Amino acid sequence: MFDKVLIANRGEVALRVMRACREMGIKTVAVYSTADADTLPVRYADEAVCIGPAPAGKSYLVMSNVIAAAKTTGAQAIHPGYGFLSENAEFARACADNDLVWIGPAPECIERMGDKSRARDTMKACGVPTVPGSDGTIESVEEARAFAESVGWPVLIKASAGGGGKGMREVHDPADLEAQFTAAKTEAQAAFGNDDVYLEKLVLRPRHVEIQVLADAFGNFAALCERDCSIQRRHQKLLEEAPSPALDEVTRTAMCEAARRAVEAVGYRSAGTIEFLLDSDNKFYFMEMNTRVQVEHPVTEMITGVDIIKEQLRIAAGEKMLSASRERFVPNGHAIEFRINAEDPDQEFRPCPGTIERLVVPGGPGVRIESYLEQGSHISPYYDSLIAKLIVWGSDRDEAIARGRRALSEFVIEGPGIKTTIPFHQRVLDIETFKAGNACTDFIETEMGE
């Protein structure tokens, strides 16, 4: 096992990784921008190195600075967390070129699964169900129109190098195709430096269900049940739960087997997630693979008892994962994760940076908090607005919902100008469609309005 690991991230995920390392006796190195100099993860780490000014493009995304910090401190490995450089194949290769272990999959896997068009072709070849889509990227509006006419409207334009809903546009009316095609390519270029797009038949009112996977170098594979991530705004997840209230055991087994085929097809070694769309007939289709740990991983940990970060570390160190002896997992209870963002839900989720003057964190049975917040913490305008994750566990879904309602009522984050998504989540829990377990990806638009 490693003696020292550098965490190439910030905020709650950096602290999450550091805590796993400390329990395993591994020393940690934090990297930070000048805006994060006095944050909890920087103080928690055994060592800390400033890698640049506040903008991420001048600090957390500067590969040479992160590599230099690792070399200077004697770290043996780099954990990227999620976001920033976590799915950057070039960075993974730079780690190897500098004799540093990349705590994640091989760069070839990142490239193969990160390009959504290529990933879909790979899944089709290994028998994983896929949504009818274009053969490779679409270069022109005329080509896009021909595809749409062949499979039928509506269609979905997706950036090949995309993620987080960037470069993605639904087209219901043929008259809108040209404008949406241009907008998707423009947004993809700005977000990823790559304007390639492809098209898929749009599955109407689907659920977003994903399988958490682990695989090591000894041929061991584990599917850690599923998560339901259907509560979204503009393709950005806001609330996740595990297991999915929509899956029966037959569908769960089939989805886990499809995830196994996906992992084996690309020789994947690490933690990852296979994401599916589930239609109203319980048919599922491959959507994408995330080649990293995800924001919502705690709900899976709560129903399986597996520490996914520790398993990542073991796999990267060339050890056998502890989950190897439990290939088939059965959900234990129910967990829900509420993403607490510094955003105003009543103002189209406008970001609300500021300094926290009052912080009260919920506790009690079945409550877990993932956050870097302290009283006096400054919520920076430079980074993602996620400031905390509230995870609750119950013996069944009803208890998890009741526990979530109680914990949200205890959670206080106050300061000048600061609004959070806590009231939004409280409203979600009171909507009958959610309580009945029937939420689809259009839940916010159909049940709440924006």
Side-chain angles (χ1 to χ4, degrees):
M1 182 48 66
F2 310 114
D3 295 317
K4 186 184 292 187
V5 170
L6 181 142
I7 293 85
N9 218 298
R10 64 175 299 279
E12 54 86 19
V13 68
L15 190 60
R16 166 73 183 95
V17 176
M18 290 173 191
R19 284 172 167 156
C21 287
R22 180 167 291 188
E23 290 179 13
M24 298 176 77
I26 302 169
K27 293 187 179 300
T28 56
V29 179
V31 292
Y32 63 94
S33 72
T34 53
D36 284 336
D38 192 37
T39 57
L40 180 56
V42 174
R43 300 198 307 274
Y44 188 91
D46 296 288
E47 299 174 66
V49 179
C50 182
I51 54 171
K58 297 182 178 180
S59 52
Y60 295 106
L61 293 173
V62 181
M63 291 183 273
S64 59
N65 289 5
V66 177
I67 295 290
K71 300 291 283 185
T72 300
T73 57
Q76 299 157 298
I78 292 180
H79 194 300
Y82 43 73
F84 292 142
L85 297 169
S86 62
E87 293 181 286
N88 189 307
E90 181 185 351
F91 184 56
R93 288 194 177 93
C95 289
D97 291 343
N98 285 275
D99 299 318
L100 296 164
V101 176
W102 165 256
I103 301 175
E108 294 77 18
C109 284
I110 297 174
E111 289 174 333
R112 190 171 181 181
M113 301 309 287
D115 183 312
K116 289 186 171 63
S117 177
R118 187 180 174 193
R120 190 173 54 81
D121 291 342
T122 300
M123 294 302 99
K124 286 174 66 177
C126 69
V128 175
T130 59
V131 177
S134 59
D135 293 326
T137 58
I138 295 287
E139 303 297 333
S140 67
V141 176
E142 291 72 23
E143 193 179 348
R145 193 176 303 279
F147 169 80
E149 296 292 351
S150 69
V151 299
W153 304 89
V155 294
L156 183 65
I157 305 169
K158 300 177 74 172
S160 288
K166 300 293 185 182
M168 187 181 295
R169 292 289 189 280
E170 294 183 8
V171 186
H172 296 262
D173 187 335
D176 296 332
L177 179 63
E178 183 170 359
Q180 297 291 9
F181 184 81
T182 301
K185 288 179 73 69
T186 300
E187 188 174 59
Q189 179 64 41
F192 313 113
N194 180 346
D195 73 348
D196 287 344
V197 298
Y198 66 100
L199 265 67
E200 288 181 350
K201 171 68 177 173
L202 180 63
V203 179
L204 295 174
R205 306 203 73 235
R207 299 182 75 121
H208 181 143
V209 180
E210 60 191 30
I211 302 291
Q212 173 72 58
V213 297
L214 292 167
D216 65 21
F218 299 90
N220 298 304
F221 167 85
L224 308 184
C225 304
E226 80 282 355
R227 298 185 287 255
D228 195 309
C229 310
S230 299
I231 306 294
Q232 304 178 2
R233 176 180 180 267
R234 297 179 183 173
H235 306 289
Q236 292 278 10
K237 301 168 186 173
L238 297 173
L239 178 153
E240 300 94 355
E241 57 182 312
S244 169
L247 288 200
D248 54 34
E249 191 57 34
V250 172
T251 307
R252 175 178 294 119
T253 299
M255 198 175 278
C256 288
E257 180 54 34
R260 173 198 281 277
R261 292 199 298 272
V263 165
E264 291 176 347
V266 295
Y268 196 83
R269 302 289 179 266
S270 190
T273 305
I274 313 296
E275 303 198 350
F276 297 98
L277 292 178
L278 181 73
D279 70 15
S280 56
D281 295 322
N282 258 19
K283 294 179 180 177
F284 60 88
Y285 307 93
F286 172 81
M287 182 168 56
E288 65 183 9
M289 182 177 190
N290 289 121
T291 54
R292 53 169 168 79
V293 69
Q294 288 193 269
V295 177
E296 60 271 23
H297 75 274
V299 291
T300 295
E301 294 181 331
M302 298 294 275
I303 65 164
T304 62
V306 174
D307 188 316
I308 294 170
I309 302 296
K310 288 182 181 179
E311 293 287 50
Q312 275 190 301
L313 291 162
R314 292 186 186 101
I315 294 167
E319 297 182 1
K320 184 179 293 187
M321 63 189 195
L322 296 186
S323 305
S325 61
R326 293 176 59 198
E327 181 179 306
R328 186 75 177 92
F329 284 80
V330 176
N332 174 31
H334 198 94
I336 304 173
E337 176 178 292
F338 306 92
R339 297 194 189 191
I340 310 301
N341 297 332
E343 297 173 346
D344 186 349
D346 295 324
Q347 297 294 323
E348 296 191 354
F349 291 81
R350 175 178 55 83
C352 297
T355 299
I356 296 174
E357 293 184 346
R358 182 167 179 249
L359 176 66
V360 180
V361 176
V367 175
R368 170 177 169 179
I369 299 291
E370 298 281 342
S371 180
Y372 65 98
L373 295 183
E374 303 172 285
Q375 202 138 302
S377 290
H378 181 68
I379 300 170
S380 174
Y382 290 101
Y383 312 115
D384 188 272
S385 59
L386 177 67
I387 54 175
K389 298 183 309 196
L390 167 63
I391 306 99
V392 296
W393 178 91
S395 58
D396 57 26
R397 190 169 185 267
D398 287 343
E399 184 177 50
I401 290 173
R403 189 159 281 163
R405 188 177 287 112
R406 186 265 296 170
L408 286 165
S409 72
E410 296 175 3
F411 210 157
V412 179
I413 303 172
E414 294 178 349
I418 293 177
K419 300 280 188 180
T420 75
T421 52
I422 291 173
F424 163 83
H425 290 301
Q426 291 172 317
R427 292 199 291 270
V428 169
L429 295 187
D430 286 334
I431 293 174
E432 289 301 324
T433 300
F434 177 80
K435 289 194 286 186
N438 295 327
C440 298
T441 55
D442 63 357
F443 175 85
I444 292 179
E445 291 83 359
T446 59
E447 300 288 340
M448 305 179 77
E450 287 207 64

